[in-house]
Amino acid sequence: MSAFKSLYFTLLPYLCFIPVGYILSKNKIIPKAYINKPLLFLFLPILVIDKVLEANVSNIAILAVISFSLSFLMLGPAVFVHRKLESHLNINILKSSYAYFNVAFFGIPVVTALFGEEGITVLICIYIGSALYGNILGYIQVAKSRFTTREAVREVFKVPFIYAISLAVILKVFQVEPPEILGSITSVLSVVVSVAGMTIIGMSLTTIKFRSVSWKYYARILGVRVLAAILIVSGLLCLEYILIDGLNSEDRQVMALISLFPIAVNLAVFASFLRSWEEEAALLILFSTVMSLVLVPAGAMLLQYLTEQGVL
């Protein structure tokens, strides 16, 4: 039960900003663009550069590839669900909801609560692969819900992540040390981004008629998402163990927990920026976050037990 208490106390301040965002939007106090544009064009690029410079190269080579592969392979279950359940959701929004994992905004407070500061380094490596997928291929998927494929590809070049990751890689290759002040700035930005992300979710909920929402339908969609993610992550970790065996127990535990993480706030940020399927994106994120608040600590306790038994 300590895992549950620690996680809830850590996340509670951030989750409180969902109703704050709802109130701000409902009463038309602050336009959504005032929040999502700084996130896309300033805060996220700075965090990306800092995280790449901090990450261990050997761990990036393994964990980033696994997390990128997880997002890519989740497209299969999304297509399957869209066909079998005759989903009314736009197929590109559904694909992104399956492929996006909230590694940064949800992951940072969760990993800190469950593993301490040591787990942040592992999470950074996972974040790079997840962000590479989400901000390039994933952004194209969301953009295709409104634009043609050619127009969607053009839209990607409006997202600063491409330029931020390119700059970060160049700095990493030349072993450029970030200034000390950057660490202080990004520690504050991590909190700001998490708060802003939760606020955007709340702002996107104002037009949803909750009484008409088919909760059973969304539960089935997200239930399949969780099961598919668990199976894919398990397969990828087994493959890594057989072929490379370069990860330690904590690395594997953090990576395994990613499968239980909610849909990334990026989906709401991008949908809001593109003005496409905003309410559905917010609803999926909200529902998956509620599920993760139960599944993540339960998964953490199971992984801890397996580690004590020498399985991991």
Side-chain angles (χ1 to χ4, degrees), residues 33 61 67 72 79 109 121 142 165 186 202 228 260 312:
S67 60
F72 181 76
V79 172
T121 303
V142 178
I165 193 67
T186 53
L260 304 177
L312 295 176

Side-chain angles (χ1 to χ4, degrees), residues 39-106:
L39 269 178
L40 275 175
F41 292 97
L42 182 61
F43 301 151
L44 285 175
I46 293 174
L47 280 177
V48 166
I49 293 172
D50 181 62
K51 289 177 185 296
V52 171
L53 292 178
E54 283 185 4
N56 181 280
V57 176
S58 60
N59 268 22
I60 291 176
I62 299 174
L63 290 170
V65 170
I66 292 177
S67 60
F68 184 93
S69 300
L70 167 64
S71 293
F72 181 76
L73 293 173
M74 285 295 288
L75 299 182
V79 172
F80 173 80
V81 166
H82 189 265
R83 291 175 179 172
K84 291 295 182 181
L85 297 184
E86 298 180 355
S87 173
H88 68 272
L89 285 170
N90 177 278
I91 180 60
N92 295 301
I93 293 294
L94 185 60
K95 284 180 180 178
S96 294
S97 69
Y98 268 51
Y100 281 9
F101 291 86
N102 199 336
V103 177
F105 311 150
F106 184 86

Side-chain angles (χ1 to χ4, degrees), residues 4 27 35 38 44 47 54 84 93 102 107 131 142 153 157 161 171-172 188 191 213 222 273 278 295:
F4 279 89
N27 295 286
I35 298 178
L44 285 175
L47 280 177
E54 283 185 4
K84 291 295 182 181
I93 293 294
N102 199 336
V142 178
V153 172
F157 291 96
F161 177 82
L171 294 174
K172 190 75 173 178
V188 174
V191 176
V213 172
L222 294 174
F273 181 66
E278 297 176 58
L295 294 175

Side-chain angles (χ1 to χ4, degrees), residues 99-121:
Y100 281 9
F101 291 86
N102 199 336
V103 177
F105 311 150
F106 184 86
I108 290 174
V110 164
V111 168
T112 302
L114 298 176
F115 297 95
E117 292 295 329
E118 298 79 9
I120 298 294
T121 303

Side-chain angles (χ1 to χ4, degrees), residues 161-184:
F161 177 82
I162 295 177
Y163 310 104
I165 193 67
S166 299
L167 175 60
V169 169
I170 292 171
L171 294 174
K172 190 75 173 178
V173 169
F174 287 97
Q175 299 181 338
V176 176
E177 292 292 331
E180 291 186 9
I181 192 172
L182 183 61
S184 302

